[in-house]
Amino acid sequence: MHPKQILAIAAVGILAVAAAHAQKPAPTLVPEISGLPPAARAAAASIDPEKIRAHVRFLSLDLLEGRGPGKRGAELAAEYIATQFALAGVEPAGDNGTYFQKVPLMAVHTIEDKTRFSFVPAKGQPVDLAYGTQIVSKDQTGAPITDLDAPIVFVGYGIHAPEYNWDDYAGVDVKGKIALIIVNEPPSNDDKFFKGKALTYYGRWTYKYEEAARRGAVGVLIVHRTDLASYGWEVVRNSQAIEKSYLQGDPDARLQAAAWIQHDVAQNLLTMSGLGDLDQAIERAGKPGAFHAVELPIRLKGHIESRVRRYDSTNVIGRISGTSTAEQAVIYSAHYDHLGIDPDAKGDGIYNGAADNGTGCGILLEMARAFAQSSVRPPHAVYFASVTAEEQGLLGSQYLGMHPPVPASQLALDLNYDMVLPIGIPRSVNLGGAERVDFWPTVQTVAKAFDLEILPDPNPMAGSYYRSDHFSLARVGIPAFSLDQGDLFEGHDEAWGIAQGKDYVAHHYHQPSDEYRADWDFRGNAKLARVGFVLGWLASDQSKSVQWLAGDEFETARKASYKK
């Protein structure tokens, strides 16, 4: 056959294949949804999983040294994110016309062999406490040396919740004293009383420190009991053995002793005070009207020595202007920090944080590009905040909540992304907290349109809503929740998805092995990014701003934000 004939036949074949592909409809990446303009739908559909991959790959390189806040690697990550914002056409929304919002931090490390605590009774000999095995503590004030000698007041769960007619501090003054507090919150099966089995923020140990500090206490002793805490003493011990950061000048972090004690240590304290069995006291403390705070005839004496490091890190914030100047902006968030480098590790000591939270950053950056390059502007301004120091206790987002780019009352919604495993296309989602806002019907509609089943919180007693950056925005009144995939993926049964999640937690979560993998499938990351794009657009386009449902614990903060 003549070469020209071969080329002609090949050309016909190529044209036939091309025609077949042209006739085959493209997959619907973004469904038609009421209220979503065609141009916005096209912009959401442009979100590219391979662009997300590229961001994750770079952010998790060894070059970035685990992105520890205040360290060189984190500065490189922040500069990379800002550069990507600029390349996409996203406006700076940080300090002084830059993309950067400075976050002043203070790291405290307790020097264990120089720190001592003891119970001192009104009569009798002091009882020394073994640091690490019986008590752990941090001095939130940042003082290198603190000597403490103060009376102890038992305040039950240490909760003041007017909406539940509950006040553990009634009748006592803890100013200048030590508050002895039970971990968790009053048990309940009633959804109208501490939300039933679901943990509220009142049960989190962070709330207990904050409330005691607001009342002038100089220290807190949280009583650990494994079944109530849902984790063993070793978890507490290990978390306190390392450096802990705080926001400089945080008015709710000023305890000289932010401490935990073992259950048997607390039992000994009650025995010394003549108050009997600790577990019975815990049971009484959880029943309305059955418990009353009491000052013990015991003092806590302590000598605390700390290594203190003050440093700055940065949030990276960008903005897309909207067609209206009305006060109904949307903000997207994802933390970029991770755990840095373990200098004592044998072998690989770099905590690359590819999934946690390179994925959230990749999603955020690709969504920002899609918004910026859309042929139509969103109805109102859209902000993108990649925050620091999440692994230190949501500190970057806490600072963002305290210093938002516009007043909190002008932010209609925060959508957060944190650790979205790139393992395929999800058929289900976890949207814990979305049901708490009046935007919930729209969330349900969008999820259904994207063929996503909304799953209930698999472990409501763990209080996961209060452990990611959206919470920092919620506590200042901004309706907020995270978007995460569930356990059901295309081509697999639910058991496969559950196994993937368990394997990641067991072998990679907060370990140096959380590294980028070339075989990761980022189509699921892109799908959740498109869902978030649509939700943000629709929230911005509502006739009124998103609100918490009546009676929600953040409703008061939302109403207060309108008065500022």
Side-chain angles (χ1 to χ4, degrees):
M1 185 178 291
H2 194 278
K4 288 185 177 180
Q5 290 177 302
I6 295 174
L7 289 172
I9 292 171
V12 171
I14 292 170
L15 289 172
V17 171
H21 278 286
Q23 293 171 5
K24 184 179 179 181
T28 303
L29 297 177
V30 180
E32 292 186 16
I33 297 172
S34 177
L36 185 69
R41 184 184 176 206
S46 76
I47 290 173
D48 185 349
E50 293 308 304
K51 286 185 172 65
I52 297 174
R53 176 192 297 278
H55 294 313
V56 174
R57 178 188 172 278
F58 180 83
L59 289 168
S60 59
L61 289 173
D62 284 357
L63 174 70
L64 273 69
E65 302 172 345
R67 308 189 304 275
K71 301 296 179 67
R72 173 181 176 273
E75 292 179 4
L76 287 173
E79 289 288 353
Y80 174 83
I81 293 165
T83 300
Q84 294 302 316
F85 280 164
L87 287 171
V90 179
E91 306 164 14
D95 299 334
N96 304 316
T98 72
Y99 290 103
F100 305 110
Q101 180 184 56
K102 185 173 75 171
V103 182
L105 298 166
M106 175 183 68
V108 177
H109 178 78
T110 303
I111 304 174
E112 297 188 10
D113 59 356
K114 295 183 178 180
T115 295
R116 299 180 296 277
F117 287 99
S118 60
F119 293 145
V120 181
K123 297 180 180 179
Q125 295 298 313
V127 176
D128 294 334
L129 304 179
Y131 195 90
T133 57
Q134 293 184 314
I135 186 171
V136 291
S137 184
K138 282 287 189 291
D139 185 346
Q140 298 177 334
T141 69
I145 297 176
T146 294
D147 287 300
L148 183 66
D149 186 359
I152 300 172
V153 182
F154 184 28
V155 291
Y157 284 98
I159 294 171
H160 178 224
E163 67 271 35
Y164 300 126
N165 194 29
W166 191 277
D167 187 4
D168 285 322
Y169 288 93
V172 296
D173 180 6
V174 295
K175 187 175 183 180
K177 301 174 184 177
I178 308 294
L180 177 68
I181 300 177
I182 305 161
V183 71
N184 212 296
E185 65 188 6
S188 171
N189 292 315
D190 181 356
D191 289 342
K192 296 181 180 179
F193 183 67
F194 288 99
K195 292 190 178 294
K197 293 185 179 297
L199 186 75
T200 72
Y201 188 56
Y202 293 121
R204 293 281 289 144
W205 53 268
T206 48
Y207 163 80
K208 298 174 190 294
Y209 286 158
E210 292 162 359
E211 182 64 25
R214 284 191 287 266
R215 292 171 178 269
V218 294
V220 168
L221 298 174
I222 294 181
V223 178
H224 177 268
R225 201 175 83 177
T226 298
D227 62 324
L228 297 179
S230 77
Y231 42 80
W233 177 257
E234 281 305 303
V235 173
V236 178
R237 168 72 180 87
N238 293 340
S239 66
Q240 295 295 316
I242 59 177
E243 187 179 77
K244 172 72 174 73
S245 289
Y246 303 93
L247 286 179
Q248 292 187 40
D250 184 354
D252 291 334
R254 53 177 183 267
L255 298 174
Q256 294 175 327
W260 289 71
I261 56 174
Q262 280 265 39
H263 178 272
D264 60 348
V265 175
Q267 177 59 73
N268 187 35
L269 179 58
L270 261 64
T271 300
M272 293 170 63
S273 304
L275 295 181
D277 184 75
L278 172 62
D279 292 326
Q280 291 180 7
I282 291 174
E283 184 177 357
R284 286 194 303 272
K287 295 179 179 179
F291 171 83
H292 298 284
V294 59
E295 184 168 325
L296 309 183
I298 311 287
R299 301 176 72 86
L300 178 71
K301 188 174 183 178
H303 175 81
I304 305 118
E305 296 197 18
S306 308
R307 286 196 299 271
V308 181
R309 176 173 65 94
R310 287 176 169 79
Y311 65 99
D312 291 331
S313 190
T314 54
N315 294 330
V316 190
I317 311 173
R319 178 181 185 272
I320 301 294
S321 60
T323 58
S324 172
T325 58
E327 302 170 350
Q328 202 166 311
V330 169
I331 185 166
Y332 294 93
S333 57
H335 76 90
Y336 71 85
D337 68 292
H338 200 53
L339 302 178
I341 298 176
D342 180 358
D344 300 320
K346 296 179 180 179
D348 185 4
I350 299 176
Y351 290 81
N352 301 83
D356 183 15
N357 186 32
T359 56
C361 290
I363 289 170
L364 187 82
L365 288 171
E366 180 59 358
M367 286 178 41
R369 183 204 61 78
F371 266 104
Q373 297 178 5
S374 170
S375 62
V376 294
R377 297 288 88 189
H380 299 94
V382 179
Y383 291 87
F384 302 89
S386 192
V387 297
T388 186
E390 186 270 353
E391 304 289 4
Q392 296 292 318
L394 314 183
L395 299 182
S397 59
Q398 180 184 345
Y399 191 84
L400 176 66
M402 295 165 66
H403 307 278
V406 292
S409 62
Q410 298 180 24
L411 289 167
L413 184 67
D414 167 57
L415 296 174
N416 184 64
Y417 291 88
D418 190 354
M419 202 173 76
V420 184
L421 298 183
I423 57 176
I425 302 176
R427 294 285 306 281
S428 61
V429 283
N430 290 316
L431 303 171
E435 76 285 353
R436 301 169 64 159
V437 299
D438 62 7
F439 190 58
W440 176 235
T442 301
V443 173
Q444 292 175 299
T445 298
V446 171
K448 184 177 180 180
F450 275 93
D451 191 27
L452 290 166
E453 178 186 357
I454 299 177
L455 299 179
D457 187 342
N459 187 15
M461 297 179 69
S464 58
Y465 183 84
Y466 308 99
R467 300 183 181 186
S468 198
D469 285 309
H470 62 255
F471 167 63
S472 296
L473 284 300
R475 69 190 304 183
V476 298
I478 301 166
F481 58 91
S482 287
L483 289 83
D484 193 12
Q485 58 205 9
D487 295 320
L488 185 61
F489 292 81
E490 287 188 9
H492 302 280
D493 60 14
E494 190 175 34
W496 180 86
I498 293 172
Q500 300 305 303
K502 287 183 176 180
D503 178 75
Y504 174 79
V505 171
H507 301 115
H508 306 293
Y509 176 65
H510 282 195
Q511 298 183 47
S513 59
D514 184 5
E515 298 182 301
Y516 167 77
R517 290 174 45 176
D519 64 347
W520 269 347
D521 182 350
F522 285 88
R523 290 178 297 168
N525 280 212
K527 182 174 183 177
L528 288 191
R530 296 180 192 117
V531 171
F533 184 107
V534 172
L535 287 174
W537 191 286
L538 295 178
S540 177
D541 197 33
Q542 286 195 155
S543 59
K544 64 181 183 64
S545 188
V546 180
Q547 300 295 329
W548 298 97
L549 295 180
D552 191 90
E553 64 189 289
F554 302 115
E555 181 190 21
T556 300
R558 185 62 163 170
K559 290 180 177 178
S561 71
Y562 290 116
K563 299 176 182 178
K564 294 182 179 179

